[in-house]
């Protein structure tokens, strides 16, 4: 893979597609802290944003793209990785176009809005011989890695119950996150996916069933397209249960595991920084890390070493199947079985 001389040879070039809040507040700054990749291009419909990013990140004029000329990236050797930071309904189209341009892809979560799209994305990347990763930043956070260690290693005995709540009081009613056609769902797709993730990486198991119900709508005008809140249980084959909730009407940021010989929890649990952890054995003390910088660096290392990302497209597809089962259960009012045998254990 040829890397243009304009960046140090050991760094892979990243193009950010979509310059909204997450790109400007998190990914851009993280790319100033990465060791193995750097920002080389941006894609935005706004000329003003492109110019602003060019000035701040010293980007070449020819590395500023609009959505109309996005496919020209295939000829640009400054770009190795394309990071899709668009509304959920656009993930599939731009991941597939990036793959066809021969670029590796990081796609923000959720992978897509339908399971069919998720499969098409994985297929396109496989066909093009490029890697696909999902923006699951918490896998790179030291507190969450400690939860994985405690849960899977049964350090405090077998985990019996997980309690997870990721909620946020969402602002104005005209944002894309409350538009069903763009978001593909409400808080479950945006926040609840972190609870789905955590239950699996703490237990090291795949769920076998889900049971869900929608929470009542207090603002039917704002939430006419998507759920305002949802609660669900995930059941695992060994009897472990995860009790989860996600809402757009209040704030919630909690993750707890109860085991045979103790407990461990994070509160706040899902933030970009400032996480706090405690266990029955004492407080968790870990340095703060830049989750996004570590996530992107890890992907760059995977590409260099021709390895699959630990937060792969397949993992994103697995979670999408679970999210859809949760919605089906909430709509139908009954437990939904899951068959995830095709997926590796988390």
């Amino acid at each position: 893979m040829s890397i243009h001389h304009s960046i140090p040879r050991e760094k892979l070039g990243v193009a950010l597609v979509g310059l909204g809040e997450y790109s400007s507040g998190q990914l851009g700054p993280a790319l100033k802290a990465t060791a193995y990749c750097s920002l080389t291009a941006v894609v935005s419909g706004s000329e003003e944003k492109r110019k602003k990013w060019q000035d701040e990140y010293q980007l070449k004029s020819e590395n500023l793209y609009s959505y109309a000329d996005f496919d020209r990236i295939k000829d640009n050797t400054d770009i190795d990785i394309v990071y899709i930071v668009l509304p959920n309904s656009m993930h599939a189209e731009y991941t597939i176009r990036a793959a066809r341009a021969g670029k590796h892809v990081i796609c923000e979560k959720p992978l897509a809005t339908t399971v069919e799209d998720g499969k098409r994305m994985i297929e396109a990347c496989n066909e093009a011989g490029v890697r696909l990763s999902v923006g699951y930043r918490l896998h790179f956070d030291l507190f969450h890695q400690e939860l994985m260690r405690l849960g899977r290693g049964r350090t405090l005995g077998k985990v019996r119950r997980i309690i997870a709540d990721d909620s946020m009081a969402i602002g104005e009613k005209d944002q894309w996150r409350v538009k069903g056609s763009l978001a593909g769902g409400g808080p479950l797709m945006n926040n609840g996916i972190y609870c789905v993730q955590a239950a699996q990486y703490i237990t090291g198991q795949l769920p076998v069933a889900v049971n869900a119900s929608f929470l009542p709508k207090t603002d039917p005008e704002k939430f006419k397209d998507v759920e305002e809140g949802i609660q669900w249980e995930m059941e695992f084959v060994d009897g472990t249960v995860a009790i989860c909730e996600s809402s757009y009407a209040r704030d919630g940021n909690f993750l707890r595991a109860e085991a045979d010989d103790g407990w461990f929890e994070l509160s706040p649990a899902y933030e970009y920084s400032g996480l706090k952890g405690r266990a029955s054995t004492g407080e968790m003390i870990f340095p703060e890390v830049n989750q996004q910088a570590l996530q992107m660096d890890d992907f760059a290392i995977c590409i260099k070493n021709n390895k699959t990302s630990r937060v792969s497209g397949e993992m994103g597809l697995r979670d999408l199947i679970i999210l859809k089962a949760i919605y089906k259960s909430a709509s139908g009012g009954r437990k939904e079985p899951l068959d995830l045998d095709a997926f590796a254990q988390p």
Side-chain angles (χ1 to χ4, degrees):
M1 186 176 294
S2 61
I3 301 168
H4 202 274
H5 59 80
S6 66
I7 52 172
R9 286 204 77 77
E10 71 275 8
K11 291 196 174 193
L12 299 186
V14 176
L16 288 180
V17 183
L19 301 179
E21 220 171 279
Y22 191 57
S23 282
S24 56
Q26 301 299 324
L27 298 176
L31 280 158
K32 291 179 174 174
T34 41
Y36 300 102
C37 47
S38 64
L39 183 67
T40 52
V42 291
V43 183
S44 172
S46 156
E47 191 180 347
E48 195 186 332
K49 281 186 188 175
R50 295 194 297 264
K51 187 80 192 82
K52 187 170 169 282
W53 280 72
Q54 179 181 23
D55 294 345
E56 185 176 344
Y57 290 88
Q58 280 82 59
L59 303 175
K60 298 178 188 173
S61 296
E62 62 268 30
N63 289 1
L64 311 178
Y65 295 86
S66 69
Y67 296 110
D69 66 2
F70 173 77
D71 298 313
R72 286 198 308 110
I73 64 169
K74 75 172 186 303
D75 303 315
N76 192 335
T77 54
D78 287 350
I79 301 169
D80 302 291
I81 297 167
V82 170
Y83 198 143
I84 313 290
V85 206
L86 295 166
N88 304 341
S89 63
M90 299 167 79
H91 288 182
E93 180 193 339
Y94 279 88
T95 294
I96 291 167
R97 284 168 71 177
R100 287 182 180 154
K103 307 302 181 184
H104 301 283
V105 184
I106 305 175
C107 178
E108 242 333 291
K109 52 85 196 155
L111 181 64
T113 54
T114 69
V115 171
E116 293 66 37
D117 275 352
K119 288 177 175 167
R120 283 174 47 229
M121 292 158 77
I122 290 170
E123 216 167 274
C125 290
N126 287 343
E127 272 173 27
V130 298
R131 298 261 169 223
L132 174 60
S133 178
V134 184
Y136 286 142
R137 58 188 167 79
L138 294 177
H139 282 254
F140 305 91
D141 186 90
L142 300 180
F143 287 93
H144 283 265
Q145 289 178 354
E146 176 68 355
L147 298 199
M148 295 176 199
R149 186 187 75 81
L150 292 170
R152 296 185 208 177
R154 300 194 168 194
T155 310
L156 297 171
K158 180 187 167 333
V159 171
R160 298 286 172 188
R161 193 165 82 131
I162 291 166
I163 300 154
D165 175 12
D166 189 354
S167 299
M168 64 182 190
I170 201 163
E172 64 280 6
K173 63 173 187 290
D174 54 359
Q175 59 182 298
W176 71 263
R177 292 201 184 284
V178 292
K179 294 186 168 68
S181 60
L182 291 175
L188 178 63
M189 297 291 271
N190 187 42
N191 300 59
I193 190 168
Y194 285 119
C195 305
V196 165
Q197 272 266 302
Q200 296 176 92
Y201 60 60
I202 290 171
T203 60
Q205 297 180 58
L206 299 164
V208 291
V210 292
N211 207 349
S213 56
F214 292 117
L215 298 170
K217 289 193 185 189
T218 60
D219 190 340
E221 166 44 25
K222 188 191 282 188
F223 300 107
K224 59 179 185 288
D225 264 13
V226 300
E227 79 276 7
E228 178 179 300
I230 188 166
Q231 51 193 28
W232 72 98
E233 288 190 6
M234 295 164 72
E235 296 176 9
F236 295 87
V237 74
D238 65 356
T240 301
V241 178
I243 299 153
C244 309
E245 190 166 317
S246 190
S247 167
Y248 272 164
R250 58 169 184 81
D251 290 317
N253 214 307
F254 182 69
L255 177 57
R256 178 181 171 95
E258 295 170 352
D260 283 340
D261 306 319
W263 54 267
F264 46 97
E265 68 180 32
L266 298 182
S267 179
Y270 314 101
E271 298 292 339
Y272 305 135
S273 60
L275 302 192
K276 289 201 165 40
R278 298 184 310 146
S280 46
T281 48
E283 205 181 338
M284 293 181 195
I285 311 284
F286 293 105
E288 192 135 298
V289 298
N290 187 316
Q291 299 164 352
Q292 291 89 350
L294 291 177
Q295 173 207 320
M296 290 187 277
D297 271 346
D298 187 77
F299 190 51
I301 293 164
C302 287
I303 290 166
K304 286 168 182 271
N305 298 332
N306 199 25
K307 294 235 181 349
T308 304
S309 167
R310 74 179 85 162
V311 286
S312 65
E314 281 73 16
M315 179 185 277
L317 179 63
R318 173 202 79 189
D319 293 344
L320 193 51
I321 291 168
I322 298 167
L323 296 180
K324 293 296 176 181
I326 293 168
Y327 278 133
K328 192 175 174 190
S329 172
S331 301
R334 61 179 172 268
K335 187 191 286 196
E336 284 295 325
L338 282 164
D339 177 9
L340 298 172
D341 288 351
F343 298 92
Q345 292 295 336

